Amino acid sequence: MDSPLTTYLLPAALAVIMFGLGLGLTVADFRRIAACPRPVAVALVCQLVVLPGVCLGLVLAFDLSPALAVGMMLLAASPGGTMANIFSHLFGGDVALNVTLTAINSVIAVFTLPVVVNLSLDHFMSGTDEALGLRFDKTVQVFLVVLVPVAAGMLVRQRRPRFAEHSTQAVKLTAVVALIGVIVAAVVAERNNVLGYLADVGLVVLLFAAISLSIGYGATRLARGDHRQCVAACFEIGMHNTTLSMAIALSPTLLDSTRMAIPSAVYAVEMFLMAMATGFLLRRIAPPESAAAVSAGARPAAAPASPAQGKPTA
């Protein structure tokens, strides 16, 4: 995996990805938690505690190879992806809640992700020929590579809001193009093993995606969230930031493992299809007022009836 492409381009792409995330965040995103504390708390517990537990259960039940097991745990520990905001908007979710959850979870994941990955490496890789670790020095690297660019992006957003708004899409596009190049190179290098990896991890990823989406909606509903909040939590919890998890797995200064990136790559494809199907299902079960709100977002609301059109008065 060591090459100029991965050695220099991938760490730079990861930093740009996180800088782009920071450009989209403001302090107000964190303050918004006061408006809906219960859905936020439930979603964060699901994201940070329940999903890693579910993922561990699936990994053990299907007896995945050590590298794929660590890759699954890395995926589970990754925060929600920005695509969750888009799907939430399309299918009538509370997008403001999505933004709040993304902001809070992205910062918390800086601390929890290295812990989960370290524990996974110790459990699954210890004593194997492939043993490696995200030890303290690499934990610090993850912290710096993730948190510093996010903080820098937020600072730019605060000081130069107009520049931040105009450059966000360009920054994201640049990072994604660079990451795609690295992923293609990694897949080519492992082309003889890719189909085997897909066969090994495809069903596990599918089950994890389905459970994640279900937990997101169901747990928020149990916490008495309304339908729009449940939709937002469904996509936020279900759609992990696979760009981040793949970048960490492939980075030669972090995990440097194509096999650990396979679960995230498979998840990115399967989750997109499952999220679309889930979105249409959520539209069908939406209560009348929520369905009306979704429709109102797609077309102007009807003008109020004039007195002449109403019922005759006595």
Side-chain angles (χ1 to χ4, degrees):
M1 273 292 295
D2 284 338
S3 71
L5 189 65
T6 55
T7 302
Y8 302 109
L9 182 59
L10 186 53
L14 178 56
V16 172
I17 288 167
M18 301 316 297
F19 179 74
L21 176 61
L23 284 178
L25 300 178
T26 65
V27 175
D29 297 330
F30 297 90
R31 291 178 181 152
R32 204 176 289 125
I33 188 174
C36 45
R38 186 179 294 150
V40 170
V42 169
L44 290 176
V45 169
C46 290
Q47 184 86 46
L48 300 171
V49 179
V50 177
L51 289 192
V54 168
C55 186
L56 178 61
L58 289 172
V59 164
L60 295 175
F62 283 84
D63 194 24
L64 292 185
S65 67
L68 292 178
V70 173
M72 283 296 303
M73 295 305 297
L74 169 62
L75 171 66
S78 300
T82 53
M83 285 298 294
N85 299 354
I86 298 173
F87 275 83
S88 183
H89 173 70
L90 289 175
F91 295 107
D94 185 341
V95 180
L97 177 58
N98 282 103
V99 173
T100 299
L101 289 172
T102 298
I104 297 171
N105 201 16
S106 296
V107 173
I108 294 177
V110 172
F111 304 94
T112 58
L113 190 149
V115 172
V116 171
V117 175
N118 259 318
L119 292 174
S120 301
L121 288 166
D122 285 339
H123 181 78
F124 294 108
M125 305 289 290
S126 180
T128 69
D129 294 336
E130 310 171 275
L132 52 89
L134 192 66
R135 305 304 180 215
F136 178 75
D137 58 334
K138 293 190 176 183
T139 299
V140 173
Q141 288 179 27
V142 173
F143 180 86
L144 294 176
V145 168
V146 174
L147 184 61
V148 171
V150 169
M154 291 184 66
L155 182 62
V156 171
R157 173 67 180 259
Q158 182 182 10
R159 299 285 180 85
R160 299 285 188 272
R162 186 169 298 178
F163 169 80
E165 296 204 358
H166 284 96
S167 60
T168 297
Q169 293 304 318
V171 168
K172 288 182 181 178
L173 180 61
T174 301
V176 169
V177 169
L179 184 61
I180 289 174
V182 174
I183 292 171
V184 169
V187 170
V188 170
E190 291 281 332
R191 58 187 176 278
N192 295 328
N193 301 318
V194 168
L195 291 180
Y197 296 151
L198 293 177
D200 289 340
V201 82
L203 179 58
V204 180
V205 167
L206 187 67
L207 289 173
F208 181 64
I211 292 171
S212 298
L213 291 166
S214 301
I215 287 176
Y217 189 92
T220 311
R221 177 60 79 188
L222 288 175
R224 292 181 291 179
D226 61 33
H227 178 75
R228 294 182 67 244
Q229 292 172 335
C230 292
V231 172
C234 172
F235 290 119
E236 189 68 32
I237 292 172
M239 304 187 76
H240 292 268
N241 191 335
T242 52
T243 302
L244 175 61
S245 56
M246 281 191 285
I248 290 174
L250 293 171
S251 174
T253 60
L254 298 176
L255 293 177
D256 193 20
S257 173
T258 302
R259 279 169 290 183
M260 292 183 188
I262 291 294
S264 294
V266 175
Y267 187 89
V269 176
E270 292 187 355
M271 176 49 75
F272 181 82
L273 299 175
M274 288 201 66
M276 288 295 294
T278 300
F280 287 114
L281 175 63
L282 291 174
R283 271 190 172 177
R284 292 182 65 88
I285 67 173
E289 62 272 14
S290 295
V294 175
S295 299
R299 60 178 182 271
S306 64
Q309 293 172 314
K311 293 182 180 179
T313 56

